[in-house]
Amino acid sequence: MMRTQVGIIGAGPAGLMLSHLLALEGISSVVLEAHTRDYVEQRIRAGLMEHFSVELLRQCGVGARMDREGLVHHGIVLRFGGRSHRIPVTDLTGKSMMIYGQHEVVKDLIAARLAAGGQILFEAEAVGIDELHGERPRIRFRQDGREQQIECDIIAGCDGFHGICRPALPLGALTVYDKIYPFGWLGILADVAPSNDELVYANHERGYALLTMRSPSVSRLYLQCAPDEDADAWTDEAIWAELRTRLADDSGFVLQSGPIRQKGVTAMRSYVVEPLRHGRLFLLGDAAHIVPPTGAKGMNLAFADVVVLSRALIDWYRKRNGDGLDSYSATALRRVWKAERFSWWLTSLMHRFEHATPFERRMQAAELDYVTSSRAAMTTLAENYAGLPLG
Ligand SMILES: Cc1cc2nc3c(=O)[nH]c(=O)nc-3n(C[C@H](O)[C@H](O)[C@H](O)COP(=O)(O)OP(=O)(O)OC[C@H]3O[C@@H](n4cnc5c(N)ncnc54)[C@H](O)[C@@H]3O)c2cc1C
């Protein structure tokens, strides 16, 4: 049986960052990851980092490549009724954001852990967790066809939405809050320079569209679609034509097209479980909560959970003070719910709801007008977009 202080399930942003922050304080961990290193390093997902996440990467010594290759952003554009309205986030909040792909963050964290002699076991799938109420909880995992076990003090469930930790808990241990939206996003990754320096969020009568990017030569674009849309039913030409229609404005904006490297459909969901602790198991990131990607909060929330839990663990190991562990769930959830609210609100503001009444459509139009004409409303948007403080 292997032994470590903190057994971490999942080598996504949450698991890797937790392992890194604990190692900096001399706390040992083993990270189990079901997939290969190559798979997790190539998985294209989030791309927008809040001010807090950028600072976190810098402070813990893994921000150098981000600072060289990332794109600093100071605002976003809301486009509706054919007109563009810029929200100057930095002017309103003093904070900026960074475009830097989640897979790049994952690469940087894996490199840092391995260089420091950290243990990440790839192709090691956790299959069960035991003794959560004892002092020596255990993770059972399968690697190379063999079942093995790790004994630890604490288990960190960083295994994403489809992991095993949350479902392993007894019925009734968690309260689930769930909302499924009646649409999805058809997303593409294209080898073409972004057609705008900042993100463009478009509310169009045919549905929402988003222009974002991953680098100076790679664009990421999304179209609101049916939740069960077949991505393969869309030709590349049809995708570009639809994007062009929805992203058009009266200033002569031109959308540049290029080869589509990847396309897929993402379902839209808001989901939270409470509490985030069960005995010696702690849930972090997507294992505990999901937001629709409109607010670009998922990876940032995962990092916020990690910071709260790592501080609690440091206190527990250093001072034998368990207060932080006891309050982890309540502390993390305060930020989670505010990010859930913002993501739900921005989703409601920007999408076309097929069954909305004429009155509801007028309300959405009035809110768009308000949010782009009132400094107070713009500041509220900007403050949430750049990221709220921890706690
Ligand atoms: C299309 C899209 C766009 C997004 N855009 C943004 C954005 O702009 N900004 C933002 O902040 N967020 C965004 N997100 C959300 C963001 O990607 C997630 O919130 C983030 O990945 C959460 O990190 P995590 O570490 O909690 O979980 P994950 O990244 O899901 O990592 C969990 C890991 O656990 C592993 N695992 C699962 N089960 C097991 C098991 N049994 N044993 C071992 N390992 C296991 C998985 O293989 C995975 O590597 C986006 C998501 C999508 C899908």
Side-chain angles (χ1 to χ4, degrees):
M1 169 126 51
M2 294 169 71
R3 160 107 199 114
T4 189
Q5 288 177 302
V6 181
I8 300 176
I9 307 179
L16 292 166
M17 179 59 87
L18 181 64
S19 177
H20 180 66
L21 294 181
L22 294 178
L24 293 178
E25 298 291 332
I27 300 169
S28 72
S29 66
V30 173
V31 181
L32 299 174
E33 169 53 52
H35 289 99
T36 61
R37 177 176 179 181
D38 197 46
Y39 179 91
V40 297
E41 289 188 346
Q42 301 304 325
R43 191 170 42 193
I44 305 284
R45 294 179 80 185
L48 191 120
M49 299 179 63
E50 287 179 7
H51 183 75
F52 142 83
S53 301
V54 172
E55 288 299 313
L56 174 66
L57 258 67
R58 285 181 184 143
Q59 283 162 13
C60 70
V62 288
R65 197 164 67 92
M66 171 190 75
D67 278 327
R68 279 198 311 276
E69 298 176 14
L71 307 172
V72 179
H73 278 201
H74 298 291
I76 58 170
V77 173
L78 299 189
R79 193 167 283 173
F80 55 93
R83 301 195 67 183
S84 293
H85 308 261
R86 181 169 186 269
I87 310 288
V89 175
T90 305
D91 292 348
L92 293 164
T93 65
K95 293 179 180 173
S96 58
M97 296 77 59
M98 180 84 81
I99 292 285
Y100 188 60
Q102 174 173 325
H103 62 295
E104 305 293 356
V105 178
V106 162
K107 277 184 210 165
D108 295 343
L109 286 167
I110 289 175
R113 286 305 298 123
L114 297 181
Q119 268 189 295
I120 308 172
L121 306 185
F122 291 101
E123 297 181 82
E125 185 185 4
V127 293
I129 43 180
D130 303 307
E131 306 292 334
L132 296 181
H133 292 285
E135 295 205 339
R136 297 274 176 271
R138 287 197 306 272
I139 307 172
R140 279 177 284 118
F141 68 101
R142 203 172 290 128
Q143 194 183 30
D144 300 327
R146 270 194 319 130
E147 191 162 311
Q148 303 175 57
Q149 294 194 39
I150 303 184
E151 187 187 81
C152 21
D153 302 327
I154 298 286
I155 299 177
C158 303
D159 50 349
F161 192 64
H162 302 288
I164 59 142
C165 291
R166 197 180 66 248
L169 297 184
L171 212 61
L174 299 174
T175 304
V176 176
Y177 300 87
D178 197 7
K179 177 177 173 61
I180 294 177
Y181 297 84
F183 40 74
W185 280 12
L186 171 64
I188 62 164
L189 192 69
D191 289 315
V192 59
S195 300
N196 198 58
D197 289 343
E198 296 179 333
L199 273 70
V200 179
Y201 290 80
N203 174 315
H204 190 273
E205 60 192 21
R206 293 176 61 84
Y208 168 78
L210 169 64
L211 180 160
T212 175
M213 62 286 294
R214 288 295 175 268
S215 75
S217 59
V218 178
S219 296
R220 184 94 165 125
L221 297 117
Y222 296 96
L223 287 169
Q224 177 182 348
C225 62
D228 56 353
E229 192 89 21
D230 175 10
D232 292 330
W234 285 76
T235 62
D236 291 4
E237 294 70 32
I239 292 174
W240 286 116
E242 190 64 28
L243 284 166
R244 230 168 250 125
T245 302
R246 296 192 196 179
L247 287 165
D249 77 351
D250 60 6
S251 74
F253 169 79
V254 177
L255 179 67
Q256 302 295 343
S257 55
I260 294 180
R261 206 201 293 175
Q262 219 185 73
K263 66 181 172 184
V265 171
T266 306
M268 304 284 283
R269 188 170 199 166
S270 298
Y271 181 99
V272 183
V273 293
E274 292 185 357
L276 305 182
R277 174 183 186 175
H278 184 80
R280 293 261 176 134
L281 170 72
F282 291 80
L283 296 173
L284 300 92
D286 278 18
H289 39 75
I290 292 284
V291 282
T294 328
K297 292 287 170 228
M299 176 170 63
N300 298 297
L301 272 185
F303 283 151
D305 290 352
V306 167
V307 170
V308 176
L309 185 63
S310 63
R311 286 179 185 163
L313 285 168
I314 292 161
D315 269 2
W316 191 59
Y317 278 111
R318 286 239 187 100
K319 306 177 195 156
R320 300 317 292 177
N321 178 353
D323 293 351
L325 291 181
D326 292 340
S327 59
Y328 163 72
S329 180
T331 306
L333 280 168
R334 278 189 70 200
R335 197 175 196 276
V336 166
W337 276 115
K338 281 180 266 191
E340 289 283 346
R341 186 207 68 82
F342 176 69
S343 302
W344 159 82
W345 173 78
L346 196 59
T347 302
S348 309
L349 183 69
M350 298 310 299
H351 287 75
R352 180 183 164 78
F353 288 78
E354 205 186 324
H355 300 296
T357 62
F359 177 81
E360 287 164 340
R361 288 194 206 285
R362 286 284 193 239
M363 288 296 98
Q364 193 189 51
E367 188 152 17
L368 280 165
D369 187 9
Y370 175 57
V371 111
T372 51
S373 58
S374 150
R375 189 177 171 89
M378 275 193 273
T379 305
T380 297
L381 192 167
E383 178 183 53
N384 282 274
Y385 195 84
L388 297 174
L390 273 183

